[in-house]
Amino acid sequence: MNIKTIIEPFKIKMVEPIHMNTLSERVELLKKAHYNPFMLQSQDVIIDLLTDSGTSAMSSAQWGAMMEGDESYAGSKSWQKMEHVIYNLTGYKYIIPTHQGRAAERIIYGYLGGKGKCFISNTHFDTTRANIEYSGAEAIDIVIPEGKMPFFEHPFKGNMDVVELERLIQEKGAENIGAVILTVTNNSGGGQPVSMKNTKEVSLICKKYNVCFLIDACRIAENSYFIKHREAEYKNKTYIEIAQEMFSYSDGCTMSAKKDALVNMGGFLAVNNKIIADECMNLLIITEGYVTYGGLSGRDMEAIAVGLEEIFHNDYLTYRIKSTEYLGKKLNEMGVPVVLPIGGHAVYVDAKTLYPQISVDQYPGHSLVCELYLKGGIRSVEIGSLMFGKYDEEGKLIPANMELVRLAIPRRVYTQSHIDYVVEIFEEIIKTKHNVKGYKINYEPKFLRHFTSHLEPLN
Ligand code: F0G
């Protein structure tokens, strides 16, 4: 049998209506939002591909477990369940709950960081970098060169350059390395996976120099899928065994449960070292909450405990990766320049190639984001010079490396017909691509300007 349709491996028993607006309404709504889709109200969005973070649909098992939530301040049963599942998955001795990923980052990098310290990653996610730099430390990205070539096919474009890792440790001095961090999958690098071979190599170098090795595990299950299907020795292992092995090579992890724990809020950090754990627990109690809830309610912890097991189911992971690939492949076939191979949680479109007539200081990625909203009510996010651009002393834009637009797929939320609709909107995008103009910024704040800046279309 040759079955081509990837059916969603779930039935829908609760629905949230989508308000279908018209083109003329969207023209007004976008203008009112100062041409910044972050400022749109969610009810004015038809398909929301802004992020896969905290946007998952929970299962009936998760909602059922939430009724069991034990809201005790200390020693909650729900914490015991969450801790047990995380211990089984990661094997780390000390597990610390937090309200989301960046809270775990603030706590551990606040302690390991500080002036004079250096952190090395394949690619630090924005909040990871921000927490490290806020502590006074330096954050260096060393993804393999293939990871920076958008159309170059390589099975593990998220890998770390291990030659550069060893050189940097020697140059900076092992005692000055705060930690080495592998982000799996590599979100800022296109959602690309990291291989087990690369993880082992990074681990060996860290052991040789006695440097702390941590995993940013937000999308560890999606990464395990790629290892099983792309790294021959792992083809007979289960996804959870692959994740367990990956954790076993490192000294700890941070995780935003808003991704691969299939919940709307939550996170944790976990380590083997008692001194680090004690310091982090002190910071946790001051800023997040007691060690058996850390900013989470009992019901949140129940949902995490169930979600972290559901995520490794074969049917779910196959559907997840195949359905993201489905969108990416369709766009690629119709000539939309997408980052290849397609990553786990999102499809990234190269807007600079799509709109060669728009110069980088007129933000081609932003033009695509606005076109997607105007034509189809689709919300996406620019990952280019609007997000990462800086100015030189003369006020000239220093552009980002790439002008990408991310279409992030919320977990278990949209069906194939929603995705087919996105594909159809892209057909319109392609037809009209020559007429699209750039944007200028009318107002921007000092930091993280993409969230709140005001823009205006150029004529
Ligand atoms: N690490 C990675 C790799 C992430 O992708 C994120 C969040 C975080 C850490 C921080 O976790 O949001 O729970 O505080 N990524 C979201 C995104 C925001 O849209 O990619 P958080």
Side-chain angles (χ1 to χ4, degrees):
M1 277 207 303
N2 182 19
I3 307 287
K4 288 199 262 343
T5 307
I6 321 148
I7 65 163
E8 289 78 14
F10 47 80
K11 292 187 285 181
I12 297 164
K13 79 160 99 188
M14 195 190 282
V15 296
E16 187 181 339
I18 294 175
H19 173 65
M20 306 300 288
N21 48 26
T22 61
L23 173 63
S24 56
E25 284 169 338
R26 291 194 293 271
V27 168
E28 282 312 305
L29 289 164
L30 190 61
K31 192 168 163 197
K32 231 175 84 196
H34 302 282
Y35 296 94
N36 184 344
F38 274 103
M39 294 207 264
L40 289 168
Q41 306 300 321
S42 69
Q43 64 272 25
D44 296 330
V45 175
I46 296 177
I47 305 278
D48 206 344
L49 307 183
L50 187 65
T51 179
D52 66 319
S53 178
T55 52
S56 300
M58 292 208 296
S59 65
S60 50
Q62 285 177 294
W63 281 108
M66 283 179 82
M67 294 306 288
E68 302 279 333
D70 174 0
E71 306 301 343
S72 304
Y73 190 96
S76 154
K77 282 196 294 255
S78 306
W79 163 244
Q80 294 167 45
K81 286 188 205 165
M82 173 172 159
E83 188 185 32
H84 174 76
V85 172
I86 297 173
Y87 178 72
N88 177 46
L89 172 64
T90 66
Y92 302 128
K93 285 196 198 122
Y94 305 100
I95 299 162
I96 299 173
T98 60
H99 82 275
Q100 64 181 84
R102 68 197 72 181
E105 293 168 350
R106 175 178 51 77
I107 288 171
I108 192 160
Y109 301 130
Y111 171 63
L112 294 176
K115 218 173 159 23
K117 293 280 179 190
C118 171
F119 288 78
I120 306 169
S121 178
N122 44 352
T123 313
H124 295 85
F125 180 67
D126 319 5
T127 57
T128 322
R129 171 176 288 276
N131 275 298
I132 288 169
E133 290 176 350
Y134 189 72
S135 81
E138 183 188 15
I140 302 177
D141 294 339
I142 52 162
V143 74
I144 53 167
E146 294 87 335
K148 292 184 208 149
M149 301 178 207
F151 310 119
F152 187 86
E153 296 256 9
H154 180 290
F156 293 104
K157 277 171 103 171
N159 281 355
M160 185 181 279
D161 182 338
V162 285
V163 176
E164 182 59 8
L165 172 63
E166 188 150 19
R167 194 197 66 74
L168 269 173
I169 296 175
Q170 286 171 357
E171 179 193 304
K172 302 279 175 185
E175 67 287 3
N176 298 320
I177 306 295
V180 171
I181 307 161
L182 262 185
T183 309
V184 303
T185 58
N186 192 19
N187 183 10
S188 314
Q192 299 291 330
V194 175
S195 70
M196 193 73 86
K197 179 165 177 280
N198 188 249
T199 310
K200 282 191 226 171
E201 287 165 352
V202 170
S203 174
L204 280 176
I205 295 171
C206 290
K207 285 210 170 79
K208 177 171 162 192
Y209 293 94
N210 199 20
V211 166
C212 177
F213 170 30
L214 301 176
I215 292 181
D216 177 338
C218 294
R219 298 177 181 87
I220 183 86
E222 291 173 5
N223 200 84
S224 299
Y225 180 93
F226 289 113
I227 290 181
K228 184 175 166 85
H229 297 276
R230 294 184 187 171
E231 226 173 331
E233 308 99 276
Y234 291 90
K235 73 171 196 288
N236 296 324
K237 295 249 177 190
T238 64
Y239 297 115
I240 196 157
E241 283 167 352
I242 293 171
Q244 285 163 331
E245 180 174 335
M246 187 167 250
F247 283 121
S248 77
Y249 298 125
S250 73
D251 302 307
C253 76
T254 58
M255 179 160 181
S256 166
K258 297 170 76 172
K259 286 86 173 171
D260 273 358
L262 291 167
V263 294
N264 306 116
M265 192 52 71
F268 62 89
L269 73 95
V271 289
N272 278 330
N273 180 300
K274 182 162 184 346
I275 300 170
I276 299 177
D278 286 346
E279 289 292 337
C280 288
M281 283 190 203
N282 282 337
L283 283 172
L284 181 86
I285 294 172
I286 298 169
T287 58
E288 287 275 298
Y290 185 60
V291 295
T292 61
Y293 73 89
L296 294 169
S297 52
R299 52 184 173 272
D300 291 331
M301 298 192 283
E302 293 279 345
I304 292 171
V306 177
L308 267 181
E309 290 189 332
E310 281 183 359
I311 195 92
F312 288 100
H313 286 186
N314 181 43
D315 292 344
Y316 166 76
L317 268 181
T318 306
Y319 140 80
R320 170 68 175 163
I321 304 297
K322 292 274 180 211
S323 57
T324 306
E325 192 184 55
Y326 174 83
L327 172 61
K329 270 194 171 157
K330 290 248 165 178
L331 297 187
N332 190 32
E333 279 160 18
M334 60 201 248
V336 177
V338 292
V339 173
L340 296 172
I342 307 301
H345 69 295
V347 175
Y348 294 71
V349 180
D350 178 3
K352 202 160 126 184
T353 308
L354 182 70
Y355 298 138
Q357 73 274 25
I358 305 175
S359 59
V360 288
D361 59 356
Q362 296 180 357
Y363 308 106
H366 190 72
S367 298
L368 176 57
V369 166
C370 290
E371 283 292 293
L372 280 167
Y373 182 69
L374 290 171
K375 293 211 154 62
I378 299 164
R379 181 154 66 173
S380 55
V381 66
E382 191 258 17
I383 305 191
S385 293
L386 179 61
M387 188 182 270
F388 293 127
K390 298 205 165 97
Y391 295 111
D392 67 12
E393 277 145 24
E394 278 130 43
K396 213 173 141 244
L397 179 81
I398 309 170
N401 288 338
M402 292 194 260
E403 304 297 330
L404 301 181
V405 169
R406 183 180 78 170
L407 309 167
I409 319 289
R411 293 169 182 77
R412 304 192 291 209
V413 171
Y414 294 117
T415 62
Q416 185 171 329
S417 73
H418 290 114
I419 297 299
D420 285 335
Y421 169 82
V422 175
V423 172
E424 278 180 29
I425 297 300
F426 265 98
E427 282 166 7
E428 289 303 311
I429 297 266
I430 289 278
K431 273 190 215 151
T432 52
K433 68 178 189 164
H434 301 292
N435 309 330
V436 175
K437 303 263 169 33
Y439 280 77
K440 74 170 188 186
I441 300 176
N442 284 338
Y443 155 78
E444 60 184 290
K446 243 180 161 172
F447 297 105
L448 299 172
R449 66 179 181 176
H450 55 287
F451 288 128
T452 53
S453 52
H454 297 179
L455 294 103
E456 188 188 311
L458 292 162
N459 282 316

